[in-house]
Amino acid sequence: MVGVGFDHVTKRFGQVVALQDVHFQVEGGELFFLLGPSGCGKTTLLRILAGFYAPDSGRLFFGERDVTAVPAHRRQTGMVFQSYALWPHMTVADNVAFGLRQKKLPRSVIRERLDEALISVRMEQYAHRKPNELSGGQQQRVALARAMVIRPRCLLLDEPLSNLDAQLRNEMRLEIRRLCKEHQLTTVYVTHDQKEALSIADRIAVFSRGRVEQIGTPIEIYKMPRNRFVAQFVGESNFVEGRVLGSEDDKWAVETILGILVGTGDATIAAGDRVYLSLRPEAIRLRGESVDRNCLAGQLVGVTYFGEVAHYDFLCHGTRLKVSELNPRHLHHRSDETIYANIRPEDVLLLKT
Ligand code: ATP
C-alpha cells in the first residue's frame, strides 16, 4: 500500500498545456478521483502515472521513490480502460492470468491467485468463456480482476463504467469500492461523472483546463466548493452576483439584485468584495408566508414532478432560481400569486468572482 505524489507536474502537447503545475498526494489505500470536464487533463495525468507519457517538468513519486524515469512495465500499475481491452481470443481465465504468466510465476501460484481474483469479482463460474460471451458488466469485472491480480502498487481506472447502463453502473460503483478497500489498493479513478465520484470517493481532485481547482472529500467539494467552477461542475447551483456589505456574527451580509442575503464565506472575504452567491436548489424552501431572514418574494413560473422530487422555477426580481423539493407531499402550482423562498445563511455560499 504505497501513496502517489505528483510534484509540480506540467505536460504540453505542442501549444496545448494539458497539465499545469499539478501538485498533490494520494495516500496509500485511498480511492482517489480525478474529476473534470472533457479535455481538462485527467487521462493525461493517469497516463503519466502509468508511465505512458513523461511529464515535461515535475516529478512523480511512489511512496518515497522517484519513479519519473521508471518505464511503464516496471511500475507495477494495473490499468482498467474504458473499453476494457480484453483479448477476444482468450478465455476469461487466460485474460486474468496473462500478467502472472508474463512474470513467470510458478504454476501453483498462478492457479491460486487466478482463483482468488475470479472469486473476488464473482466470476469463477465464467472462467472458460470468451469475452464476447459475457455481458458488459461481466467484462468489466474481468478487466478489474486482470488489473488487480498482479497486486499492483496502484490501480488506475479510466472511466471504467462508461459502457454500462445506469443500473449496472450503480452496482459496479459499489463493487469497485468494495474491491479497492478489501485489497487496500491505492486507486486513481478518472471520470467526468460527478455522481460516480461523490458516491464512492475517499477524496476528489476537481480539474479544469489542466489545473487542480480543489481537492477534498465528497462532502467538502459539494458543500464548500472553492469557486464557481467547482460549484457548477459538481451538482447544480443558482448563482447571484452581489457586493459584501459587512459581517453579522460570523456571517456576511451581501447586497444583491434579490435584496440583502446573509451567507457564509471563508477568511479571505472582506467588506466591499464582489462575490457570487451559490444557492443549491435543494437548500431553498418554498413557503406560503414570509420569514424575517433570507426570504425572497416571487412567483412560481415552472413546476416539474419526478416522483421522488419536484423541480420548481422561482422568479424573483427578474432572476430565475431553481428550487427542488424532495419527497413532495403536495405540489405548489404555477401561479401569479406571491410565494416565498427561504434559505438558511449556512446554505448561502460566498464565492470570489
Ligand atoms: P476526456 O474526458 O474527454 O477523456 P480528459 O480530461 O481526459 O478528457 P486529456 O485526454 O487528458 O483530457 O486531454 C487534455 C488536453 O490535451 C486536451 O486538450 C487534449 O486535446 C490534449 N491531448 C491529449 N492527448 C494528446 C495527444 N496525444 N496529442 C495532442 N494533444 C493531446
Side-chain angles (χ1 to χ4, degrees):
M1 202 168 59
V2 69
V4 173
F6 296 98
D7 181 26
H8 299 286
V9 167
T10 293
K11 176 75 184 169
R12 292 183 196 83
F13 295 105
Q15 298 296 312
V16 177
V17 182
L19 294 170
Q20 177 125 39
D21 199 28
V22 171
H23 187 78
F24 64 86
Q25 176 84 26
V26 178
E27 303 301 333
E30 194 172 24
L31 177 48
F32 192 96
F33 272 68
L34 310 179
L35 176 68
S38 183
C40 70
K42 312 178 291 289
T43 301
T44 303
L45 196 64
L46 204 68
R47 288 177 160 265
I48 285 176
L49 229 174
F52 302 149
Y53 293 152
D56 292 324
S57 60
R59 292 179 303 167
L60 176 71
F61 288 87
F62 282 0
E64 298 291 303
R65 186 169 168 226
D66 184 340
V67 294
T68 320
V70 174
H73 64 278
R74 294 251 172 83
R75 290 204 185 172
Q76 274 180 272
T77 57
M79 186 134 172
V80 176
F81 298 90
Q82 205 172 85
S83 58
Y84 314 138
L86 298 175
W87 288 287
H89 59 288
M90 288 188 194
T91 62
V92 165
D94 288 339
N95 263 284
V96 175
F98 184 82
L100 300 174
R101 294 199 176 113
Q102 291 279 90
K103 287 184 168 193
K104 303 208 176 3
L105 293 175
R107 275 182 169 214
S108 59
V109 175
I110 293 179
R111 186 74 248 167
E112 195 182 312
R113 288 234 219 138
L114 172 63
D115 288 347
E116 197 184 296
L118 290 177
I119 288 170
S120 118
V121 297
R122 298 171 183 151
M123 285 296 290
E124 64 273 28
Q125 292 131 322
Y126 300 89
H128 301 294
R129 290 218 192 154
K130 297 267 178 65
N132 67 356
E133 296 163 340
L134 302 174
S135 70
Q138 290 166 339
Q139 291 181 44
Q140 207 265 356
R141 283 165 204 263
V142 177
L144 263 174
R146 186 178 61 176
M148 285 173 23
V149 78
I150 58 164
R151 306 208 170 139
R153 301 168 96 179
C154 186
L155 179 65
L156 310 179
L157 306 173
D158 191 359
E159 305 260 9
L161 305 182
S162 57
N163 288 330
L164 305 181
D165 65 44
Q167 191 172 346
L168 202 51
R169 256 201 322 262
N170 290 347
E171 284 171 30
M172 287 309 295
R173 270 180 207 160
L174 299 175
E175 193 76 1
I176 287 176
R177 181 163 174 96
R178 175 186 71 80
L179 287 168
C180 292
K181 292 296 159 188
E182 207 170 282
H183 296 267
Q184 298 189 314
L185 286 168
T186 306
T187 305
V188 180
Y189 188 134
V190 162
T191 187
H192 61 266
D193 181 337
Q194 35 133 341
K195 290 227 168 88
E196 214 156 290
L198 289 173
S199 59
I200 61 165
D202 289 321
R203 284 191 306 154
I204 301 169
V206 181
F207 276 75
S208 156
R209 289 187 270 167
R211 286 177 180 276
V212 176
E213 295 285 347
Q214 185 170 357
I215 295 180
T217 61
I219 202 153
E220 283 166 354
I221 296 279
Y222 191 82
K223 286 287 194 189
M224 290 173 278
R226 186 169 293 160
N227 55 35
R228 182 172 172 160
F229 175 83
V230 177
Q232 205 158 23
F233 189 73
V234 183
E236 256 197 290
S237 209
N238 299 288
F239 295 100
V240 182
E241 273 190 85
R243 193 172 61 87
V244 180
L245 295 176
S247 63
E248 261 181 32
D249 305 327
D250 58 343
K251 302 283 184 274
W252 294 97
V254 181
E255 185 178 37
T256 75
I257 194 170
L258 308 180
I260 292 173
L261 287 171
V262 177
T264 307
D266 65 24
T268 66
I269 301 283
D273 282 352
R274 300 227 49 103
V275 290
Y276 282 113
L277 297 183
S278 166
L279 319 173
R280 296 282 192 199
E282 70 277 13
I284 304 176
R285 297 262 167 279
L286 294 174
R287 307 169 160 269
E289 288 151 21
S290 171
V291 291
D292 59 347
R293 215 187 204 194
N294 282 359
C295 196
L296 309 170
Q299 284 79 38
L300 281 186
V301 293
V303 181
T304 317
Y305 180 62
F306 290 99
E308 86 281 16
V309 64
H311 290 180
Y312 296 102
D313 287 320
F314 177 78
L315 191 66
C316 174
H317 296 290
T319 298
R320 206 176 264 255
L321 299 179
K322 290 182 212 126
V323 178
S324 58
E325 189 181 10
L326 259 181
N327 191 22
R329 297 242 171 98
H330 62 272
L331 284 184
H332 300 279
H333 291 287
R334 275 177 64 153
S335 149
D336 291 337
E337 280 183 26
T338 299
I339 184 167
Y340 298 91
N342 175 228
I343 181 160
R344 297 183 314 168
E346 43 276 48
D347 290 325
V348 176
L349 221 59
L350 277 66
L351 304 173
K352 287 270 184 77
T353 56

